[in-house]
Amino acid sequence: MTLLAIDTALENCSVGLSAGGAVFLRAETIGKGHAERLMPEIAGLLAEAGVAISAIQRIAVSVGPGSFTGLRVGIAAARGLALVHRVPVVGVGTLLSHAALAASLRPPGDDRPILALLPARGDELYGQLFSAKLAPAGEAVLASIGHFAALAAESDADLAGAGAIRLERPDRVIHDRSAPDIATLLSLGASLDPADHPPKPLYLKPPDAKPQLHKGIARQ
């Protein structure tokens, strides 16, 4: 299967391609400007691999939690390409990506759950608990550091993601990445069922900019 992976959920603009048994990866930390960088990165990756965009059979895209703007850019691109080329899209949560990377980095036989965590604002984190086989043990939530510290202690979980270091359990942190690993996203995109994982953004908090509904329209 020829699979294209797209991640613009956080500070990276990353694309990956799996085709004919070969894997091609590009990951650039840009912070902002995903809309300007993404399509040229996809075109460059396809050219490097010698693969026509019409040959893509499936697309995987990060769906959050993450930056509102970044998520919209990646998901819109994935949906647009899928519509034109009539291929399925798999939406992959950033927390699942972090848990999957942690699972691949652990020594064989480690069957503890994995708690994936990303920083939010103040004393809050985004987090989700997974079994050792990456089955969700609960929904992704936005909650306090104290909430996740208690969950980590109760579940005896290993920790993954940039928010993991805030629990002050360094011996349990498998990795502290922020942006998803594009190779892991490729792998998940190939294994997950598009019917069960649609490309729908996962927003766990309201947007910072809110319409000022209390103000009327100025009249002349």
Side-chain angles (χ1 to χ4, degrees):
M1 177 169 56
T2 302
L3 190 151
L4 174 69
I6 297 170
D7 170 60
T8 56
L10 290 159
E11 71 273 15
N12 280 8
C13 182
S14 302
V15 290
L17 183 71
S18 175
V23 173
F24 303 85
L25 307 172
R26 290 189 174 198
E28 182 181 7
T29 300
I30 61 172
K32 297 180 180 180
H34 295 90
E36 293 78 16
R37 292 296 306 145
L38 178 58
M39 297 311 293
E41 284 296 309
I42 292 174
L45 184 73
L46 292 171
E48 178 187 348
V51 173
I53 195 166
S54 58
I56 293 172
Q57 297 171 297
R58 180 182 291 191
I59 300 171
V61 62
S62 295
V63 296
S67 157
F68 281 92
T69 301
L71 290 175
R72 285 195 295 268
V73 169
I75 293 172
R79 286 175 171 174
L81 291 171
L83 181 64
V84 171
H85 299 286
R86 299 182 181 182
V87 296
V89 184
V90 179
V92 182
T94 53
L95 296 170
L96 174 58
S97 288
H98 284 318
L101 177 60
S104 72
L105 296 174
R106 296 196 297 186
D110 188 341
D111 60 356
R112 284 190 289 259
I114 300 171
L115 179 58
L117 299 163
L118 287 171
R121 287 189 175 180
D123 69 342
E124 291 185 314
L125 301 171
Y126 301 112
Q128 188 171 13
L129 183 67
F130 298 88
S131 73
K133 295 184 178 180
L134 303 179
E139 298 293 324
V141 296
L142 172 64
S144 68
I145 293 174
H147 167 85
F148 289 116
L151 179 59
E154 178 184 352
S155 62
D156 193 31
D158 285 330
L159 307 177
I165 57 177
R166 301 192 67 183
L167 298 196
E168 298 182 356
R169 293 166 59 100
D171 58 313
R172 286 301 179 86
V173 176
I174 305 300
H175 73 81
D176 59 358
R177 289 179 60 107
S178 176
D181 175 66
I182 192 64
T184 301
L185 182 60
L186 264 179
S187 178
L188 289 169
S191 63
L192 297 176
D193 187 343
D196 296 329
H197 298 270
K200 180 180 179 181
L202 178 60
Y203 297 138
L204 297 181
K205 69 174 183 178
D208 293 330
K210 297 181 181 179
Q212 297 179 333
L213 299 178
H214 64 284
K215 292 187 177 180
I217 299 174
R219 296 182 180 180
Q220 296 183 356

